[in-house]
Amino acid sequence: MASVPSLASTLQQQLADALTAALPDAGAADPLLRRSDRADFQANGILALAKKLKGNPRELAAQVTAALPAGGLIKDIEVSGPGFLNITLTDRAIVETLAARAADGEGRLGVPLKDDAGTTVIDYAQPNVAKEMHVGHLRSAVIGDAVVKILEFTGENVVRRHHIGDWGTQFGMLIQYLIEHPGALKHEGGTSDGEAAMSTLNRVYKESRALFDSDEEFKARSRDRVVALQAGDPETLELWHRFVDESKIYFHSVFDKLDMEIDDPDIVGESGYNDMLEETCRILEETGVAVRSEGALCVFFDDVKGPDGNKVPLIVKKTNGGYGYAATDLSAVRNRVQDLKADTLLYVVDARQSLHFRMVFETARRAGWLSDDVKAVQLAFGTVLGKDGKPFKTREGETVRLEDLLDEAVARATAVVRDKADKVGLSEEEIVENGRYVGIGAVKYADLSTSAVRDYKFDLDQMVALHGDTSVYLQYAYARIQSILRKAGDAVPAAHPELELAPAERALGLHLDQFGEVLAEVGAGYEPHKLAAYLYQLASHLTTFYDQCQVLSPDNAPEVVENRLFLVELTARTLHRGMALLGIRTPERL
């Protein structure tokens, strides 16, 4: 697949060449090209060059303008203010570039693969074994899944890791209870669906906790069972695996509702690094990165202090010989760098854990596991809030179950789809399917259209609105194009570079051409909200285009109809690809 240079990159190169030709004393210079509301583009770099060369900026601008190639790309260029260049492109260049994108048979729309692709290990979607997933698990899963898709599309080699909570003292209690109550994990009716699995796990947890709190002898047996688990006792490990497997049934049911694919080999929880913990601690202590403090193995930092002014350490190994979260996280760093050969470690983790990860990363750097060639990044995310601006809770003040939230979103969306179903003749099966796509898409888009680090309000009424910055608006834009294409009859989409474009056609075309540049920026900064913003702007340009440029009007010449069908079809393909990279479906009919 041959990539298609964007209009901006082609213009940038022509301006850079003209600067070098007209002003050889300036050396390599950036024309500082950007989109403009006064023309298609504006180049502002000559002002800085004029100061460097001690020349008149308008005169220098005129020299650069004279050095630009005539015809082809540039229709008009005007020197404005202190040497700014206002540049308008030819309609032919716009349509020919879009036609090259449309001709890409691999579905990439001419978007190039990046030259410096490496290996990124991304840690996201990290539920806990034997515990229900709640609204707090939403963002890591949704943001992580979108970033994975975007990075892979840019050409990066991506290794997924789901660092589930599958180890710790609570398993001693659960396993001991299961030993004393062998049938506890059996589902009522013998079913093995996710809801039944979670219901069973909840029941076992509550019953074992009640016994643990009321029976000192059971509590002692449970603590002994933790020791047996950590020592690798076969019977204990077998029962521990039953809890993990039962939880995976539940996890997969929730991720299926989220329309996300989670593969078992990618689930490497805390337990996956057990065999590395002691070696990690030994290396840290022998190299002097960690020191003993009051019996614990700790790493200290000059800039991390508590309210009392004393340094707050990262505890790698506790006084009682148990391992802290840091030991597991540092062992995971070692594994991901040394065994998986990662260039980048990306952690999609709640912003409230930022201090922990800052200390883990700095410790890994001191130990030599991270270097100038290997970076670790926390993609920190904010909190999901209710309509009242407070952390999202039920009316009873409890954390909202993720399944309940997703079911409610699908129910609301299905009602919206059903309300419009008669107009497009949707079957009941299509209503149910589209209701799921619209509901889950609404939840994902609300999350992804907000900068990850910011909190956002969870408001289903707003999320499933047909107008405004919602996924439903984008999905309807896509479905509307499909409706037009079905009604086109014998007319087929075809580019006609010889035609003069209307203002709305030019605006739509120029925005379509930015898709690849936006994806490169989104991938480099792990910022899916910028892709969401681009797609919303694309749908808005499409709305303006519809208002000003009829597509199938009998008054249009055949070539005008074909060219407008070409523009809307490419818009549909771009919406479809962009939404898919966010993990959102685009139904053909809505």
Side-chain angles (χ1 to χ4, degrees):
M1 187 277 301
S3 62
V4 180
S6 69
L7 292 162
S9 63
T10 303
L11 179 57
Q12 171 89 6
Q13 188 60 56
Q14 288 192 10
L15 285 168
D17 292 344
L19 281 167
T20 300
L23 309 171
D25 294 339
D30 187 348
L32 298 179
L33 188 68
R34 62 177 181 82
R35 290 298 306 275
S36 171
D37 56 2
R38 297 187 178 185
D40 293 335
F41 293 92
Q42 187 175 86
N44 299 336
I46 293 175
L47 182 59
L49 283 177
K51 293 179 180 177
K52 177 180 177 182
L53 300 173
K54 296 181 172 56
N56 183 299
R58 290 183 66 86
E59 291 177 2
L60 296 180
Q63 294 175 41
V64 173
T65 300
L68 284 165
L73 180 64
I74 299 174
K75 176 182 179 181
D76 183 57
I77 186 165
E78 173 195 15
V79 179
S80 171
F84 297 154
L85 299 180
N86 291 327
I87 304 165
T88 301
L89 305 185
T90 63
D91 292 346
R92 175 176 288 276
I94 294 172
V95 176
E96 286 179 344
T97 299
L98 295 181
R101 294 197 179 287
D104 175 12
E106 297 186 24
R108 295 190 58 83
L109 303 173
V111 176
L113 297 169
K114 64 180 183 178
D115 297 327
D116 57 345
T119 296
T120 294
V121 176
I122 177 168
D123 188 328
Y124 71 107
Q126 311 107 339
N128 293 309
V129 165
K131 290 184 179 178
E132 280 190 302
M133 293 176 68
H134 54 77
V135 67
H137 291 107
L138 177 66
R139 301 207 72 186
S140 177
V142 170
I143 295 170
D145 186 55
V147 171
V148 165
K149 288 179 167 64
I150 292 163
L151 289 179
E152 287 184 332
F153 190 76
T154 65
E156 185 78 355
N157 175 40
V158 179
V159 180
R160 300 160 174 81
R161 279 293 176 266
H162 308 295
H163 192 87
I164 64 172
D166 64 352
W167 204 249
T169 55
Q170 68 167 326
F171 287 100
M173 174 186 78
L174 291 168
I175 293 168
Q176 189 61 35
Y177 185 84
L178 195 58
I179 288 173
E180 298 176 15
H181 301 79
L185 280 183
K186 289 183 179 179
H187 302 156
E188 292 182 10
T191 60
S192 61
D193 61 276
E195 188 173 341
M198 196 62 248
S199 175
T200 301
L201 287 167
N202 266 341
R203 175 175 49 77
V204 171
Y205 184 85
K206 289 177 180 178
E207 291 172 0
S208 62
R209 169 55 70 179
L211 191 59
F212 185 89
D213 291 340
S214 62
D215 186 331
E216 289 298 323
E217 292 184 359
F218 176 76
K219 182 181 291 186
R221 293 195 298 274
S222 297
R223 286 173 174 163
D224 289 341
R225 188 58 56 183
V226 175
V227 175
L229 176 64
Q230 292 175 340
D233 173 65
E235 180 193 18
T236 305
L237 281 175
E238 181 182 354
L239 294 171
W240 170 77
H241 276 296
R242 287 186 62 188
F243 277 107
V244 173
D245 292 343
E246 194 77 6
S247 296
K248 283 183 179 179
I249 294 171
Y250 165 67
F251 295 160
H252 285 302
S253 74
V254 177
F255 290 128
D256 283 345
K257 283 190 176 184
L258 265 174
D259 201 14
M260 278 177 51
E261 188 175 330
I262 300 290
D263 296 325
D264 272 354
D266 300 330
I267 301 175
V268 182
E270 295 167 356
S271 62
Y273 305 99
N274 282 343
D275 294 343
M276 300 177 67
L277 299 181
E278 186 55 41
E279 185 181 29
T280 295
C281 293
R282 178 182 58 78
I283 293 171
L284 292 173
E285 188 168 15
E286 288 180 354
T287 56
V289 174
V291 296
R292 294 284 172 177
S293 177
E294 299 179 14
L297 186 63
C298 304
V299 182
F300 289 91
F301 309 86
D302 291 336
D303 59 343
V304 182
K305 297 180 180 179
D308 58 2
N310 293 326
K311 293 180 181 179
V312 176
L314 181 70
I315 300 174
V316 184
K317 194 171 186 179
K318 303 173 185 177
T319 304
N320 64 4
Y323 298 101
Y325 287 120
T328 303
D329 288 332
L330 287 164
S331 297
V333 169
R334 288 178 56 211
N335 169 259
R336 294 167 185 184
V337 173
Q338 297 170 358
D339 299 333
L340 301 180
K341 308 302 181 186
D343 309 297
T344 302
L345 307 181
L346 183 59
Y347 294 77
V348 188
V349 182
D350 192 315
R352 288 170 291 188
Q353 298 187 48
S354 293
L355 177 59
H356 169 77
F357 278 99
R358 181 159 66 89
M359 292 194 291
V360 166
F361 296 161
E362 175 58 26
T363 300
R365 273 189 286 272
R366 293 179 186 179
W369 303 324
L370 296 178
S371 63
D372 292 341
D373 298 325
V374 184
K375 65 177 180 178
V377 180
Q378 182 193 358
L379 178 47
F381 56 82
T383 303
V384 181
L385 306 176
K387 291 183 182 181
D388 58 2
K390 298 177 181 178
F392 199 18
K393 302 282 186 181
T394 65
R395 290 181 179 177
E396 293 75 28
E398 296 181 359
T399 303
V400 178
R401 295 172 69 239
L402 184 52
E403 280 190 297
D404 292 343
L405 181 149
L406 297 177
D407 289 344
E408 176 65 15
V410 169
R412 296 277 193 96
T414 302
V416 171
V417 173
R418 191 179 300 281
D419 187 52
K420 302 281 185 180
D422 289 342
K423 295 181 181 179
V424 288
L426 294 181
S427 67
E428 181 62 25
E429 183 180 357
E430 287 175 310
I431 291 172
V432 171
E433 182 180 76
N434 288 355
R436 181 186 174 216
Y437 293 159
V438 171
I440 298 303
V443 171
K444 289 184 176 182
Y445 187 84
D447 193 317
L448 295 169
S449 59
T450 303
S451 174
V453 75
R454 292 178 55 193
D455 300 340
Y456 79 96
K457 292 182 181 180
F458 195 93
D459 183 345
L460 275 177
D461 291 331
Q462 184 176 340
M463 289 178 185
V464 299
L466 299 177
H467 304 287
D469 190 5
T470 67
S471 68
V472 192
Y473 176 63
L474 302 182
Q475 288 168 322
Y476 267 100
Y478 176 82
R480 186 176 182 184
I481 294 173
Q482 299 309 313
S483 176
I484 289 173
L485 294 173
R486 287 193 294 269
K487 294 175 182 176
D490 295 334
V492 295
H496 285 275
E498 75 279 4
L499 292 178
E500 182 177 341
L501 297 178
E505 291 176 302
R506 296 185 95 261
L508 180 60
L510 287 168
H511 194 74
L512 282 168
D513 187 57
Q514 290 180 276
F515 185 54
E517 293 177 341
V518 169
L519 284 180
E521 182 182 356
V522 167
Y526 314 120
E527 298 173 304
H529 70 280
K530 291 185 177 180
L531 175 56
Y534 168 84
L535 295 173
Y536 173 63
Q537 291 162 3
L538 179 60
S540 299
H541 280 300
L542 181 69
T543 299
T544 303
F545 168 84
Y546 282 145
D547 291 341
Q548 299 180 10
C549 305
Q550 284 190 295
V551 178
L552 300 178
S553 171
D555 298 331
N556 290 341
E559 61 270 21
V560 172
V561 173
E562 291 176 352
N563 199 59
R564 288 181 176 175
L565 285 172
F566 159 74
L567 285 173
V568 297
E569 183 191 49
L570 185 57
T571 300
R573 289 171 60 187
T574 305
L575 281 170
H576 177 76
R577 171 59 68 188
M579 293 287 270
L581 291 175
L582 295 179
I584 299 173
R585 307 267 187 163
T586 43
E588 297 288 310
R589 301 198 305 160
L590 268 181

